[in-house]
Amino acid sequence: MTTARRFEDDPDLWAVVDAAGLNPKGRARNFTFDCPDCGRKGKASGRRDGPWHCFACEAKGNALTLARRFDLAGADLRPTAPPPATDNRNGVAPSTARAAWAALEGQRDAYRERLALYLAEVRGWPAELAEAGARVAGWAWIPADCPELPRPLAWIGRDADRRAAFALRDERGEVWTLERRWTATTPPANPETTPKALRLRTRSEDAGRLAIFGRVPDAVAAADRGEPIYLCEGGPDYLAAAALCRLDARGAALGAHGHAGLPKVAAALRAALAAAAVPVSRVHVLCVPHLGDKGDVGERSMLEAADVLAGAGAVSVVRVPVDGAGKGDLADAARTGAGELRALAQSAGVWTARHYAEGEGRAVAPTDMHPVVL
């Protein structure tokens, strides 16, 4: 039976779109896919038993014409069910995320120049800092010949060569989910539907799990050596702090996935420091907030994190320079070079606790806080 006859008997648009590599998405009768004419991602829509139409360029057609266009004669294009995890709606297991990360990390050194190019050209970092940032563990380039990944993570390879992947870990330092970040100098074709950063959906039982850039055990080890710990928000800020630590051959960096996670990461760090019996006099945490966020949520969350850490050691709040709109973060400040970052850290005073005694509502002064010389 020819492909044409097969479709005349039992048309199935999903099977054609999937075989053509147009990334179908959706589990219902209607679904979306990448337009074969204009290439806009997710802009074409169709029914499994009907025609399709692109809302971006107005192209249209049906399963039969699309099969002929992609020369799919002889392919098995009978009706098939959409893959159950294609859109990650129900989330994936942490073991699947770890497998994907292992595949990407295994070839990160081969693409280190691309990582450095992103930091230098897109972020505007000086060469020394960009090269150090490219060598930081915990992120990897997604190459055009993306390694074979578990099927639920096929989305990682889309727009390859324009994205990087970050590993997100729990308080034990175990990778359990990933973040994909746009790295190209040109913005996505549709910024409204293609965010610059997108975190992998994981199963509901992992919803409350901490998502940390960097490893808490590494931070504890650095503190035990009397070296500073940088606490930041987001992947780029984590990279800036970790690059500085790499250049100085001392210190460690941690980053929360978002501002709401900062106090939780601080609590995890404090608990780990206590469990390892690190002397308070050796601990110095430098908290670097995002400034100028709507409602100042970045700064307020970081101050809350500083409160959590108060009493566990010396805590400094580092305020970076801001732009004309009053916004600033560590990744932006890194454009001025490693020397300026060191100067910012060294000029920050020791934080005075604002937290309150449980149930009493009175201020509690931190004890035995000794700033560490960077």
Side-chain angles (χ1 to χ4, degrees), residues 181-333:
R181 177 169 285 269
W182 187 266
T183 61
T185 52
T186 55
N190 191 351
E192 293 78 15
T193 59
T194 307
K196 63 180 181 181
L198 183 65
R199 177 174 157 185
L200 171 66
R201 290 190 183 99
T202 48
R203 291 180 178 171
S204 57
E205 59 263 30
D206 294 299
R209 201 168 178 181
L210 285 180
I212 305 172
F213 298 99
R215 299 181 73 254
V216 171
D218 291 349
V220 171
D224 199 37
R225 297 190 298 267
E227 299 171 4
I229 302 169
Y230 292 84
L231 178 60
C232 312
E233 177 188 340
D237 277 30
Y238 159 74
L239 281 180
L244 183 62
C245 292
R246 187 176 184 88
L247 285 175
D248 293 343
R250 64 195 310 270
L254 294 175
H257 184 259
H259 71 86
L262 286 166
K264 299 175 184 178
V265 175
L269 175 59
R270 179 168 185 147
L273 290 168
V278 178
V280 171
S281 59
R282 296 182 186 174
V283 179
H284 188 193
V285 183
L286 296 110
C287 301
V288 192
H290 280 193
L291 301 179
D293 290 343
K294 185 176 181 180
D296 294 322
V297 291
E299 185 173 12
R300 289 191 290 107
S301 294
M302 188 62 84
L303 296 183
E304 185 179 344
D307 282 346
V308 170
L309 289 164
V315 180
S316 298
V317 177
V318 181
R319 287 183 168 81
V320 299
V322 296
D323 59 18
K327 295 185 176 184
D329 57 39
L330 192 61
D332 291 338

Side-chain angles (χ1 to χ4, degrees), residues 6 46 74 88 131 142 157 188 282 290 296 315 325 346 356 372:
R6 187 177 295 158
N88 295 324
E131 178 59 30
I142 304 175
R282 296 182 186 174
H290 280 193
D296 294 322
V315 180
Q346 291 170 350
Y356 295 91
V372 177

